[in-house]
Every structure is written in structure tokens, then in C-alpha cells.
Amino acid sequence: MDAWSPFFSSDHFMPHGHCYLWEPGLLSLHIISDALIAAAYFSIPFTLLYFIRRRTDLVFRWIYLCFAVFIVACGFTHLMEIWVVWNPAYWWSGGIKAVTAAASVSTAVMLVKLVPDALSLPGPALLRQANHALAEEVSIRMSAEAEVRLLNGQLAQRVSDRVSELEEVNRRLEVEMAERRRGDEARARLAAIIESSDDAIISKTLEGIITSWNPAAERIFGYSAAESIGRPIMMLVPPEREDEEHAILRRITRGEKVEHFETIRVAKDGRKIEISVTISAVRDADDRIVGISKIARDISARRGAETKLRESEERFSTVFHHTQVAMTLSRLSDGVMVQANEEWARLSGFSLSEALGRSVVDLGFVKPETGEENRAELRSSGVVAPAESRVRARGGEERIVLASRKVVQIGGEPHVLASMHDITERKQAEVALRRSREEFKDLFDNAPIGYHEVGPDGRLVRINQAELKMLGYSAGELLGQFVWKIGADEQLSRDAVLGKLAGNPPPAAFERELRRKDGSVFPVMIEDRIVRNEAGKIAGIRAIVQDITDRRTAEESIHRMNEDLERRVRERTAQLEDANREMEAFSYSVSHDLRAPLRAVDGFSQAALEDYGPTLPPEGRHQLTTIRESAQRMGELIDDLLAFSRLSRQTLRKRSVDTDALVRTVLAELLERTAGRRIETKLGELPACEGDPALLRQAWINLISNALKYTRRRDVSTVEIGCFEKEGQDVYFVRDNGTGFDMRYANKLFGVFQRLHRAEEYEGTGVGLAIVHRVVQRHGGRVWAEAAPDRGATFFFTLEPETKT
Amino acid sequence: MTQTNIIELLLVEDNPQDLELALRALRKVNLCNHIEVARDGAEALDFIFCEGPHAGRKISEGPKVILLDLKLPKIDGLEVLKRIKGDPRTRTIPVVVLTSSKEQRDIVESYQLGVNSYIVKPVNFDGFTNAMRDLGVYWLMLNQPPRL
């Protein structure tokens, strides 16, 4: 509202009269002029409206309306000029001027556009001139028409003359045409034949220039008629066959006939084409040869078809010969085999060369009655369904085949196509499987061991005769029942079976008690296996059930025997312990009490010698000395005997013994006591052994000291110590070059107090080798000797049992 | 130096021949003075522990060495050894077992009871004499016992 107020308010401006300084003269001039202009402008539209109304043919009526608007608007601007002299509504006056400006500018623009159209409008003077020229022409035409009418009459006469003349000519022409048409029809027929022929029909001059070329020629050779006509026929002939073409031309020229022949020509694209050609001479009305016509047939396609046929045949032949099915083709009439494949040859053992031309019955491959049956069926139904039959191979071996036969027509004659699968191996496998099943069933039913199978719900699904017999039930009474029904403790069996079916615990061998139908209980050993289905889920349990009543009895008996034995062992051990204790007491007193008197004998003899020696005669002194020697010897005997007896009682403390080190120590100690002797010692390799070191040491001492003792009379003593392996055992030996002994007494060698030499020769008690023998024996080994008198001796020993088997 | 009433050597031996030979051997090597002889284990213990006929002795005046046979009437040698070595008052007295027994059992047990030496009496008198001399010289002259 406020925005519009300046339009209507006159507060801010001064009335336009101020510009005129309200001078009455100037004021009147403007006001009157403006009033007159406005009056004039308002009158013009009315005049224009009247004009438009009357002149209906007026073009561009709208431009008059534009003028009217424009002029009215101008009138208003002048009215406003008067108004603003007293009222300063300059916005209103400006607005009206703007409307006027818009109307005037539009009209001016439209007027400019209108000018070319307005210029083309004929003015009234021009129209008058044209009318005048037209009237003149009308008068000229009317005179000409009269002249034409006159001439027309003459023309009609001349036309009718000419028409009759033409009719005559037409009649003559029709006769001629009818004759002509007959000739053209024949030619057209020929042309049609040529046009539609599949064979190329080409004519040429005697010089070999092509004169006609049909569409087939175009198709076959690739040249269009335009490209060929007028060109030499040689363009179709491959260079190597040019002579052939020349010869043909010559023969035709000479009037000879050229028989149908096959040759090769070259197409436009260079492709060689096999064609079959017929050539004949073209003669004119006087029977002169004027050209050559040639009919060429493309036989490449035919050749291609032949090749395809051959390939197809080859393929089928390959399939036939190499298929894994034995096949034969024979005539239905007489059974003669016309074809057979390699598989059949393999199956039958006949070579194709000997088999073809004969029937399978002749060959003995099929029995005559079978062959007859087959043919009868083939004649009636045309087919023999696949069936097993026996055939005899060349060597007489019988094979089982699955054979089918069918009648097929070949070359119009019925043949039998037979196909055979060799199923001998399969049949043998079937037989073997059946036998195996029978064996299994036999075993299952008659095995002396119980066997049953439990389904996933714990019910018995099978049970063998042996188990039924064990339990006293019939199969019908147990199958379908829960297996724990036969358990002596049903709850225990039930929990175990259900547990196993749930996968826990794992299958095992265990002992259980079962209850017979009569209620008696007996022990069994059960070994079960979990049965799983393809998905690996538990599908049941298979169990082997063994009646162990007898075993239990035997076990109990063994147990009793064992107990008895143990008791006896205990008693015997006690006895032995007693004996041992007695033995110990005995040897203790021997050790203690027997030696005391000897000491007294020796000691007092010595005392007597010391105290009274000078007064005794030599004989007396000798006797006392002898008493002493005897006492001492007895002391030695007692010592050795005690040592030997200790050896038997002493417990064996086995451990690994470094034999080499042990022997070296012993040897060194013993050699210390042999000062002044020439002794050669030779130590071989001495492997370690398992044994009691103290006892072994004693044995080695005894053997080596023996060797040293009995070689003492040699200038050079040799002692060889070594070991060799014999039958998996280490054999230790001590060899000397000493006195040796007679092998006849070898049995006495290792006895206690047994001596092979007199005491005067070699001192000793005869216990040394007995100790060696006892030591070796206690280790489980063996000791022996080889010797000859004066040729030395060798002692061998082992420390392990002879044979471990 | 040595008082005449001090016993240097206690010889425990029941066998009269062995005793005589032992004394002869000791005499030969001049060790026969200050020897007390006990004829069985009981006598030996009475002497050592100053009991019975030896009640007037002082234990501290014990012998310098005891030669002890094992096989003795009444109380055997090992028992005697055990008593000597089991008593702090007598433990330090050297005890030499002098016996005919070569039994390992005896040797081991003697040593376990604390014997100072174990000598097997040889049958040969010369050997016996030598043994007596050697041990007399060793224990009575060379060995230095602790002062009680």
C-alpha cells in the first residue's frame, strides 16, 4: 500500500504550473494546445472504425486497430499534461506515457514489417490497365475460333481416309505377327531352358570367342555374361589343359564329334572346378559349322558328396571295428557271416579272415540248436532280446555272453546284426560272490563262536546258530527283542548297549555274564564293533560272543595251581634258605674253627724249631718242617674251598664290565710276581660284557695265573688273550704255550680239587678252574679247553646262554 | 714315661693255642709288657668298662689298642666291638679285629661298627708273627691317639 502511495500522493512534488510560473499566457498556450491535440486524437479512432466497417475487402485490418490504440493513448498523455499543471501526479502521467510508448513502438515495428506486403498490393490504376488488355484478347480469340471451326471440317475428312489406310496396314501386320509369334515361342522356350539350366551352356565361335553365357555359367565360373561374352574361352582353361581345348576346337572344326568328358576348369576366383562337358557343333541353315556350343556340368559337388559318403562309411566302420561290443553281421537266410568286428575276433579267438564267409554254427561258436532257435525267433519277430548264452571260443574255452540279435535290411536282403558283451568275468565274480556269501553264511551259522548284530534301537537284527545254541533260544524268540534281554544283569547290559549306540564308550572286548532261556548264567567274552551307515552315524553294533565257561574253569584251575605252586616255592625257598644258612654256619665254622688248630700245629712246630731246633737231630727238624708244610697246605685248601663255596652263595651283581681294562689290570698285577721270566703277552680286542665284576675278575685271575704257572718252564712264555665271535656270542680265550694236558682228562679239568699235574711239578689246590667254571656257569655261559701235552692249552669261555631261542 | 700299671694292649682271645702263639709273637717283637688278656667277651667288657674284677680301674686309663677275636664265648666279638664303639668314653680306643674269619659278612659288619683295622690270622706262624709285630708297632708306637 505504502509502495503505491507515491503514485497517488502529490505531497512531494510541485504542480507543473510552477514550471510555467503560473503565467496565464504560457499556461493557456499549453492547456489549449494539449486539449485540442487530445480532442483530435480521440476523434481519429472513430473515423478509423467507421472506415474498417465499410471496407470489408480491406487487408491488414489489425494495423488500423493498432493505430487506433496508439492514437487514443497519445490523447490520454495530452490530457495528463493538462491535469499535472495543477496536480503533481507525475507517476500517473509517466505511466500513461509508458503505455503510449509501448503502443506506438509496437505499431511502428509492425508497420515496417508490413511494408513489403503493402507494396505488392495493386493499386486501382494498375487494375484498370489489366482489364483493358483482357478485353482486347477476348475479341482476338473469338475471331480465331471461327477460323478453327472451318479447318475442323476439312480435317475430319482427312482423318477418316487415314484410318481406313491404317486398318489395311494393321490387318497385314497381324498376319505377319501370328507367323512371327510361332517362331518366337520356340526360341523363347529354348532360351528359358538355357536360362534355367543348372548346367553352364556356353557358345563360342570357331576361334574360341564366347558368344553366349547363361546364368548357370555365371554361377559356376563366377563371370557375368557381360564379362565373358566376346572374350576367349581360354580364360576358363587352366594352362596345363590348353592343349586339350585346342584339340577339341580342332576336332569340332573337322566335323568330328566330341564325346562327353570330364575335365577341370578355372573359375573367376581361381578355384579349380571339376566339370563334365558335352560339346557339339553349331551349324547354320546351310549346315556349315559356324560355332561351338558347350554344356558344362559342375561335378565338384558330386565328388564332395562321394567323399563324405566314404568318410561316413569309414567312421561307421571304425566304430564297428573298435567298439567294445562284439558284433557280427550275417545273412538271415543261411547264417553266413558277412562282417564281424575285432572285439568279436578277440572274444571268439577266430581271425576275421577264417570266420567271414562261414556261419557261427559252422565255426562251433554257437551250438547248432541255439543257432536254429535264434534264427527261428528272428524270422518270426525280427529280434532276439538280450539274453545270456554260452559260446565256445576257438580253443574250446566256454565264454558267457550277453547277446542280442536283430534283423536289419542290407541291400534289400535281411541280415542279422548280433551284438555280444563278454560277461564271463562278471559271471565268475558273481559265482565267487555267491560262494563267498554262502561261505559267510555257513561260517555265520556254524562258527563255534556266537555272533549277533543289534540295530540302532538296541534290538537284535541277526543272531547266529552258535549263539542261539549257547543261549538255548530259537531265532524267532530273540530277533526283534532288545539285546539286553540275554544279559544276566539286564540293567547293566542295557546301559552299556545304549551308551555304545550313543557313541560312548568306544567298542572293546569285555567279559559279561549272559542268561540262558532256562535261567542259568554263564560267562562270555564279547568283542563288539560299531556299525556306521554311509553318513557315518551309528547304525548298530556287531558283536562276537564267546562262551568262556571252560576258560574260566581253566583259569580258576590255573589260579589254584599257581597258588599251590607259589606255596611250594615258598616252602622250598624256606628250605633252601635254611640249607643256605646251615651252609653258611658250616663254612663259618670251617673258616674259623678248622684254621685255629692248623695255626696251632704250624705255630707250635715253629716254636719247637725255634726253641729246640739246635738240640734236635736233623731228622726231627725235617719232620717238624713237614708238619708245618702240611698244616699250611691244609690252610690253603680250606681257604680255597671257602672261597669256592662263597662263590656259589654270593649273589650275582651284574653290570657292564670293561673287559679290556679288567684284563689289563689283572695281567699287570700277575706279571709283577713273575720277575725274571721272559713272557710275551698278546692282547686281542676284548669287548665289554655284562657280568659281576668281582667274580669275573677272579675268573680272569685264575685263568691268566694258570697260563703263567704252566708256561714257567718255557724259555719264553707266551700268553695270548683275546675274543672272537661264534654263533652270535663273544668267546673269550686265554692261550698259552705251556705244559698243556691230555685231552682225555679234560673232563676232570673243572672239578673241585681235581688236578692234572703233580703238586711237585705245579703247586695248587685244584680249585682255580673250578672257580672259573662256577663263575662262568653263574653267568649262564660255558667254559671249555683245548690242549695237548706239552703243546700248550687254550681256555675258552662265554658269558651268555648258548642259544637264546 | 709309661707307668707300669697302665695297660697298653688288651688281647681278647679264647683259644689258648692262639693266645699262646699271639703272646709268643708279641714277645718276639718286645711288646709283651702291659698286656691284659680277656678269655671271652664278658671279661673284655668288664675290663674295658671297669666292672666286676676291674671295678677299681678308670675307664680313662683304657688300653692303647684292643686286639679282638670275633668268635668268643658268652659275648661275641662283634657285640664287644659294638659296645666299645657305642660308648663315647671308649669310642676313641683303636680296636683291631684279629680273627680266623675271612667272611665278608664279618668284615663288613666290623667296619660298620667302627673297627679300626681287620686282620685275618694266617695259618702260617711266620705270617702271624709278622702281623702281630706290624700291628704292635703301628698301634702302640706310631699311632697317636687323642688325649682323653
PDB file of all heavy atoms in Angstrom, chain A residues 725-739:
ATOM      1  N   GLU A 725      83.999-114.005  17.778  1.00  0.00           N
ATOM      2  CA  GLU A 725      82.557-114.184  17.816  1.00  0.00           C
ATOM      3  C   GLU A 725      82.198-115.495  17.164  1.00  0.00           C
ATOM      4  O   GLU A 725      82.718-115.851  16.108  1.00  0.00           O
ATOM      5  CB  GLU A 725      81.876-113.037  17.052  1.00  0.00           C
ATOM      6  CG  GLU A 725      80.425-112.855  17.471  1.00  0.00           C
ATOM      7  CD  GLU A 725      79.720-111.819  16.609  1.00  0.00           C
ATOM      8  OE1 GLU A 725      80.124-110.649  16.660  1.00  0.00           O
ATOM      9  OE2 GLU A 725      78.785-112.210  15.892  1.00  0.00           O
ATOM     10  N   LYS A 726      81.342-116.237  17.823  1.00  0.00           N
ATOM     11  CA  LYS A 726      80.926-117.515  17.257  1.00  0.00           C
ATOM     12  C   LYS A 726      79.445-117.669  17.533  1.00  0.00           C
ATOM     13  O   LYS A 726      79.011-117.602  18.683  1.00  0.00           O
ATOM     14  CB  LYS A 726      81.717-118.645  17.906  1.00  0.00           C
ATOM     15  CG  LYS A 726      81.498-119.978  17.201  1.00  0.00           C
ATOM     16  CD  LYS A 726      82.166-121.080  18.001  1.00  0.00           C
ATOM     17  CE  LYS A 726      81.825-122.434  17.406  1.00  0.00           C
ATOM     18  NZ  LYS A 726      82.206-123.518  18.323  1.00  0.00           N
ATOM     19  N   GLU A 727      78.681-117.849  16.461  1.00  0.00           N
ATOM     20  CA  GLU A 727      77.221-118.008  16.576  1.00  0.00           C
ATOM     21  C   GLU A 727      76.613-116.898  17.426  1.00  0.00           C
ATOM     22  O   GLU A 727      75.779-117.136  18.295  1.00  0.00           O
ATOM     23  CB  GLU A 727      76.884-119.371  17.151  1.00  0.00           C
ATOM     24  CG  GLU A 727      77.133-120.494  16.149  1.00  0.00           C
ATOM     25  CD  GLU A 727      77.223-121.859  16.812  1.00  0.00           C
ATOM     26  OE1 GLU A 727      76.819-121.975  17.978  1.00  0.00           O
ATOM     27  OE2 GLU A 727      77.696-122.793  16.156  1.00  0.00           O
ATOM     28  N   GLY A 728      77.065-115.681  17.156  1.00  0.00           N
ATOM     29  CA  GLY A 728      76.467-114.528  17.832  1.00  0.00           C
ATOM     30  C   GLY A 728      76.957-114.325  19.255  1.00  0.00           C
ATOM     31  O   GLY A 728      76.490-113.437  19.954  1.00  0.00           O
ATOM     32  N   GLN A 729      77.876-115.141  19.699  1.00  0.00           N
ATOM     33  CA  GLN A 729      78.360-114.998  21.072  1.00  0.00           C
ATOM     34  C   GLN A 729      79.826-114.587  21.086  1.00  0.00           C
ATOM     35  O   GLN A 729      80.600-114.985  20.218  1.00  0.00           O
ATOM     36  CB  GLN A 729      78.246-116.339  21.796  1.00  0.00           C
ATOM     37  CG  GLN A 729      76.826-116.676  22.213  1.00  0.00           C
ATOM     38  CD  GLN A 729      76.846-117.885  23.098  1.00  0.00           C
ATOM     39  OE1 GLN A 729      77.392-118.918  22.725  1.00  0.00           O
ATOM     40  NE2 GLN A 729      76.250-117.774  24.268  1.00  0.00           N
ATOM     41  N   ASP A 730      80.154-113.799  22.107  1.00  0.00           N
ATOM     42  CA  ASP A 730      81.563-113.468  22.293  1.00  0.00           C
ATOM     43  C   ASP A 730      82.224-114.635  23.035  1.00  0.00           C
ATOM     44  O   ASP A 730      81.738-115.039  24.096  1.00  0.00           O
ATOM     45  CB  ASP A 730      81.706-112.198  23.135  1.00  0.00           C
ATOM     46  CG  ASP A 730      81.305-110.969  22.325  1.00  0.00           C
ATOM     47  OD1 ASP A 730      81.509-110.990  21.102  1.00  0.00           O
ATOM     48  OD2 ASP A 730      80.777-110.013  22.931  1.00  0.00           O
ATOM     49  N   VAL A 731      83.302-115.160  22.452  1.00  0.00           N
ATOM     50  CA  VAL A 731      84.040-116.250  23.111  1.00  0.00           C
ATOM     51  C   VAL A 731      85.406-115.694  23.513  1.00  0.00           C
ATOM     52  O   VAL A 731      86.205-115.303  22.667  1.00  0.00           O
ATOM     53  CB  VAL A 731      84.222-117.454  22.153  1.00  0.00           C
ATOM     54  CG1 VAL A 731      84.992-118.567  22.852  1.00  0.00           C
ATOM     55  CG2 VAL A 731      82.868-117.944  21.665  1.00  0.00           C
ATOM     56  N   TYR A 732      85.623-115.590  24.838  1.00  0.00           N
ATOM     57  CA  TYR A 732      86.919-115.107  25.333  1.00  0.00           C
ATOM     58  C   TYR A 732      87.838-116.311  25.468  1.00  0.00           C
ATOM     59  O   TYR A 732      87.387-117.432  25.716  1.00  0.00           O
ATOM     60  CB  TYR A 732      86.744-114.445  26.700  1.00  0.00           C
ATOM     61  CG  TYR A 732      85.809-113.246  26.658  1.00  0.00           C
ATOM     62  CD1 TYR A 732      84.454-113.382  26.914  1.00  0.00           C
ATOM     63  CD2 TYR A 732      86.323-111.975  26.355  1.00  0.00           C
ATOM     64  CE1 TYR A 732      83.604-112.293  26.861  1.00  0.00           C
ATOM     65  CE2 TYR A 732      85.475-110.878  26.310  1.00  0.00           C
ATOM     66  CZ  TYR A 732      84.114-111.038  26.567  1.00  0.00           C
ATOM     67  OH  TYR A 732      83.286-109.960  26.518  1.00  0.00           O
ATOM     68  N   PHE A 733      89.106-116.040  25.276  1.00  0.00           N
ATOM     69  CA  PHE A 733      90.032-117.173  25.434  1.00  0.00           C
ATOM     70  C   PHE A 733      91.381-116.707  26.001  1.00  0.00           C
ATOM     71  O   PHE A 733      91.737-115.533  25.881  1.00  0.00           O
ATOM     72  CB  PHE A 733      90.251-117.911  24.103  1.00  0.00           C
ATOM     73  CG  PHE A 733      90.964-117.084  23.070  1.00  0.00           C
ATOM     74  CD1 PHE A 733      92.364-117.109  22.993  1.00  0.00           C
ATOM     75  CD2 PHE A 733      90.254-116.303  22.177  1.00  0.00           C
ATOM     76  CE1 PHE A 733      93.010-116.344  22.036  1.00  0.00           C
ATOM     77  CE2 PHE A 733      90.908-115.547  21.227  1.00  0.00           C
ATOM     78  CZ  PHE A 733      92.293-115.557  21.146  1.00  0.00           C
ATOM     79  N   VAL A 734      92.054-117.680  26.674  1.00  0.00           N
ATOM     80  CA  VAL A 734      93.416-117.451  27.169  1.00  0.00           C
ATOM     81  C   VAL A 734      94.250-118.635  26.665  1.00  0.00           C
ATOM     82  O   VAL A 734      93.924-119.783  26.955  1.00  0.00           O
ATOM     83  CB  VAL A 734      93.454-117.414  28.719  1.00  0.00           C
ATOM     84  CG1 VAL A 734      94.890-117.235  29.195  1.00  0.00           C
ATOM     85  CG2 VAL A 734      92.557-116.296  29.230  1.00  0.00           C
ATOM     86  N   ARG A 735      95.253-118.319  25.860  1.00  0.00           N
ATOM     87  CA  ARG A 735      96.049-119.398  25.239  1.00  0.00           C
ATOM     88  C   ARG A 735      97.486-119.286  25.748  1.00  0.00           C
ATOM     89  O   ARG A 735      98.009-118.184  25.909  1.00  0.00           O
ATOM     90  CB  ARG A 735      96.006-119.223  23.724  1.00  0.00           C
ATOM     91  CG  ARG A 735      96.818-120.258  22.946  1.00  0.00           C
ATOM     92  CD  ARG A 735      96.576-120.088  21.458  1.00  0.00           C
ATOM     93  NE  ARG A 735      95.212-120.470  21.108  1.00  0.00           N
ATOM     94  CZ  ARG A 735      94.407-119.750  20.308  1.00  0.00           C
ATOM     95  NH1 ARG A 735      94.842-118.610  19.789  1.00  0.00           N
ATOM     96  NH2 ARG A 735      93.189-120.167  20.043  1.00  0.00           N
ATOM     97  N   ASP A 736      98.063-120.438  26.022  1.00  0.00           N
ATOM     98  CA  ASP A 736      99.479-120.400  26.443  1.00  0.00           C
ATOM     99  C   ASP A 736     100.264-121.452  25.682  1.00  0.00           C
ATOM    100  O   ASP A 736      99.695-122.292  25.001  1.00  0.00           O
ATOM    101  CB  ASP A 736      99.576-120.595  27.964  1.00  0.00           C
ATOM    102  CG  ASP A 736      99.087-121.959  28.398  1.00  0.00           C
ATOM    103  OD1 ASP A 736      99.591-122.966  27.860  1.00  0.00           O
ATOM    104  OD2 ASP A 736      98.163-122.017  29.254  1.00  0.00           O
ATOM    105  N   ASN A 737     101.581-121.362  25.814  1.00  0.00           N
ATOM    106  CA  ASN A 737     102.437-122.343  25.143  1.00  0.00           C
ATOM    107  C   ASN A 737     103.062-123.273  26.182  1.00  0.00           C
ATOM    108  O   ASN A 737     104.189-123.707  26.053  1.00  0.00           O
ATOM    109  CB  ASN A 737     103.523-121.617  24.323  1.00  0.00           C
ATOM    110  CG  ASN A 737     104.478-120.837  25.214  1.00  0.00           C
ATOM    111  OD1 ASN A 737     104.117-120.510  26.352  1.00  0.00           O
ATOM    112  ND2 ASN A 737     105.682-120.559  24.728  1.00  0.00           N
ATOM    113  N   GLY A 738     102.261-123.490  27.256  1.00  0.00           N
ATOM    114  CA  GLY A 738     102.810-124.230  28.383  1.00  0.00           C
ATOM    115  C   GLY A 738     102.712-125.742  28.272  1.00  0.00           C
ATOM    116  O   GLY A 738     102.646-126.294  27.175  1.00  0.00           O
ATOM    117  N   THR A 739     102.653-126.379  29.416  1.00  0.00           N
ATOM    118  CA  THR A 739     102.692-127.827  29.503  1.00  0.00           C
ATOM    119  C   THR A 739     101.500-128.490  28.821  1.00  0.00           C
ATOM    120  O   THR A 739     101.607-129.601  28.326  1.00  0.00           O
ATOM    121  CB  THR A 739     102.671-128.245  31.002  1.00  0.00           C
ATOM    122  OG1 THR A 739     103.509-127.339  31.717  1.00  0.00           O
ATOM    123  CG2 THR A 739     103.183-129.647  31.172  1.00  0.00           C
TER     124      THR A 739
END
